[in-house]
């Protein structure tokens, strides 16, 4: 959200971390934790759980599970999961930017009373695009990277293979979704009740950002996104593969 509508030098992630701890205390780093955790439980489970059935449908319908069908399966899984959990994302973003430090329920009441129930699905379009692209880039890249590593390296099914494949998937996911994530956040923080809207939709937001802040602005917070998505992707896939093994299921 730095320098919205302006060009200039951004404050780095390290400086922001220090400022937050000094001015607001360590607890400020966990603002929006409750809605973020709730969303992760539902969204994370749905997007991982729906990927395999979607891939099987493609295999049954088209007789193929090449990269394109894997990507499409990820898009469907991610988009459906985020459509159901978008209110939690809005609550998380608003809680993080709120200066009053009210509870999550208080934030929800404020949004509904001032902007209506529909405001809880604000930014759902870019959020679905972002989640679809993230799930597709992560799942398809992980799936494909595993096959390539098994074919061209001495690695076998196990922790090292899962870790390397998930690192590749995390990098791909960040590159694909960082601009969409920034646009989604701008839309979610836009308040309907406070005058005219700055951004009409996701495309208009992207156009305005490029016009007023430059192309590089689409990757604002890109390193912070990677710092979160990289480890998250690795932990998610390694844990998922281990749980599938314990449940007697085949690897992804």
């Amino acid at each position: 959200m730095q320098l919205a509508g302006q060009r200039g030098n951004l404050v780095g992630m390290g400086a922001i971390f220090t400022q937050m701890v000094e001015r607001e205390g360590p607890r400020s780093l966990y603002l929006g934790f409750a809605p973020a955790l709730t969303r992760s439980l539902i969204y994370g489970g749905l997007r991982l759980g729906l990927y395999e059935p979607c891939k099987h449908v493609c295999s049954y319908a088209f007789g193929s599970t090449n990269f394109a069908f894997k990507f499409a399966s990820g898009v469907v899984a991610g988009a459906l999961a985020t459509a159901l959990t978008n209110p939690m994302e809005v609550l998380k973003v608003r809680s993080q930017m709120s200066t009053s430090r009210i509870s999550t329920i208080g934030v929800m009441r404020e949004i509904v009373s001032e902007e209506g129930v529909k405001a809880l699905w604000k930014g759902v379009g870019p959020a679905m695009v972002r989640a679809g692209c993230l799930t597709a880039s992560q799942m398809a890249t992980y799936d494909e990277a595993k096959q390539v590593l098994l074919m061209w390296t001495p690695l076998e099914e196990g922790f090292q293979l899962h870790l390397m494949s998930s690192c590749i998937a995390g990098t791909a996911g960040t590159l694909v979704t960082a601009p969409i994530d920034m646009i989604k956040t701008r839309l979610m923080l836009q308040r309907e009740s406070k005058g005219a809207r700055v951004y009409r939709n996701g495309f208009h937001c992207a156009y305005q950002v490029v016009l007023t802040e430059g192309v590089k602005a689409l990757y604002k917070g890109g390193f912070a996104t990677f710092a979160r998505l990289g480890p998250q992707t690795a932990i998610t896939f390694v844990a998922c593969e281990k749980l599938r093994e314990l449940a007697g299921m085949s690897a992804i």
Side-chain angles (χ1 to χ4, degrees):
M1 288 301 294
Q2 286 185 64
L3 299 175
Q6 307 170 51
R7 295 172 187 261
N9 295 323
L10 300 175
V11 179
M13 188 175 74
I16 290 175
F17 176 90
T18 305
Q19 288 173 12
M20 286 180 67
V21 173
E22 287 178 350
R23 297 175 186 176
E24 304 171 57
R27 288 182 63 186
S28 65
L29 297 171
Y30 284 88
L31 289 171
F33 178 73
L37 183 61
T38 305
R39 177 184 177 274
S40 291
L41 286 169
I42 303 169
Y43 165 77
L46 281 173
R47 76 188 188 100
L48 286 172
L50 290 172
Y51 175 72
E52 286 288 315
C54 288
K55 196 168 75 166
H56 289 316
V57 168
C58 287
S59 177
Y60 178 78
F62 303 101
S64 174
T65 53
N66 60 27
F67 185 80
F69 288 118
K70 290 175 183 176
F71 195 89
S73 300
V75 168
V76 172
L80 286 174
T82 208
L84 295 172
T85 57
N86 197 74
M88 292 296 104
E89 182 73 2
V90 172
L91 291 173
K92 182 198 77 173
V93 171
R94 291 290 182 90
S95 296
Q96 289 172 341
M97 296 298 289
S98 175
T99 54
S100 57
R101 298 294 181 260
I102 58 177
S103 66
T104 302
I105 300 297
V107 172
M108 184 173 69
R109 286 174 178 165
E110 188 179 274
I111 292 171
V112 173
S113 63
E114 292 181 8
E115 305 169 58
V117 177
K118 284 177 66 178
L120 292 172
W121 271 269
K122 188 172 287 185
V124 68
M128 288 177 71
V129 173
R130 183 252 183 197
C133 291
L134 174 64
T135 306
S137 58
Q138 282 184 331
M139 298 298 295
T141 303
Y142 177 80
D143 208 338
E144 202 69 17
K146 268 186 69 177
Q147 301 306 316
V148 171
L149 289 171
L150 282 169
M151 189 182 300
W152 296 102
T153 69
L155 290 172
E156 296 181 354
E157 193 69 49
F159 176 76
Q160 289 183 326
L161 176 66
H162 301 158
L163 184 62
M164 288 186 67
S165 301
S166 61
C167 287
I168 296 169
T171 304
T174 303
L175 291 172
V176 170
T177 61
I180 307 169
D181 209 20
M182 194 273 289
I183 291 166
K184 176 206 71 173
T185 302
R186 290 278 179 96
L187 290 172
M188 286 180 173
L189 285 171
Q190 185 168 254
R191 294 177 182 267
E192 299 289 354
S193 59
K194 302 292 177 69
R197 291 187 299 172
V198 178
Y199 308 119
R200 292 193 294 270
N201 51 49
F203 292 109
H204 183 247
C205 179
Y207 172 74
Q208 288 296 322
V209 168
V210 172
L211 189 68
T212 59
E213 303 170 49
V215 177
K216 286 174 66 177
L218 291 172
Y219 278 89
K220 278 183 180 179
F223 182 75
T225 301
F226 178 74
R228 179 181 68 85
L229 267 185
Q232 182 198 52
T233 304
I235 292 168
T236 298
F237 282 118
V238 170
C240 183
E241 292 280 25
K242 189 64 181 176
L243 288 169
R244 289 175 70 92
E245 180 188 329
L246 292 172
M249 299 171 68
S250 61
I252 294 174

